Amino acid sequence: MPKITLEVSEELSQQLAQVGDRLPELLALSLQQPAIPAEIYRYILNFLASNPTPEQIAQFQPTPQMQERLRTLVTRSKAGELTPIELKELDEYEKIEHLMVMIKAGNLAYLGVDS
């Protein structure tokens, strides 16, 4: 198993000593970040929790920042330039888009549109 040597402050050293043999586990957990920023999940959940009308659901769009990031990821993907982290991010955006399409499709009956 590889060894890593780090220089840390005295305060951090004391905190790490309290963690004991759980340090590798905690380091691994700290590296497991969500594929996309938490505020994107909050944006969607806040919208859904607001009890939107069928019209609001039909009109729901990602924020301009989300749209721009998605365009960047798609462009980089087409060029074969995505990092593994960016690939996970793009996959997550695609899952969210699929979910919203399903929600919107299920909403069509309320708008008087045949699905």
Side-chain angles (χ1 to χ4, degrees):
M1 180 180 303
K3 279 190 172 186
I4 298 174
T5 303
L6 299 172
E7 290 186 31
V8 297
S9 68
E10 185 63 36
E11 180 183 343
L12 181 56
S13 175
Q14 291 171 2
Q15 291 174 343
L16 292 173
Q18 293 173 359
V19 171
D21 62 348
R22 292 192 57 223
L23 183 58
E25 173 191 354
L26 294 174
L27 285 172
L29 287 172
S30 71
L31 294 174
Q32 295 177 2
Q33 298 297 316
I36 57 177
E39 67 255 12
I40 293 173
Y41 295 111
R42 272 194 300 276
Y43 169 74
I44 295 165
L45 289 173
N46 286 339
F47 170 74
L48 294 173
S50 73
N51 197 22
T53 66
E55 291 79 14
Q56 289 171 320
I57 292 171
Q59 298 299 318
F60 180 80
Q61 293 290 321
T63 66
Q65 295 85 0
M66 292 165 61
Q67 292 175 24
E68 180 60 31
R69 180 62 180 156
L70 188 53
R71 274 192 293 275
T72 299
L73 291 171
V74 168
T75 300
R76 289 179 50 79
S77 177
K78 288 179 181 178
E81 299 173 346
L82 284 182
T83 66
I85 291 172
E86 289 172 325
L87 182 57
K88 286 181 182 179
E89 183 181 2
L90 182 57
D91 287 345
E92 192 66 16
Y93 273 114
E94 289 172 348
K95 288 175 188 173
I96 289 171
E97 181 181 18
H98 180 72
L99 173 66
M100 292 309 299
V101 166
M102 290 173 46
I103 290 170
K104 287 181 179 189
N107 188 53
L108 293 177
Y110 295 105
L111 292 173
V113 178
D114 292 329
S115 38

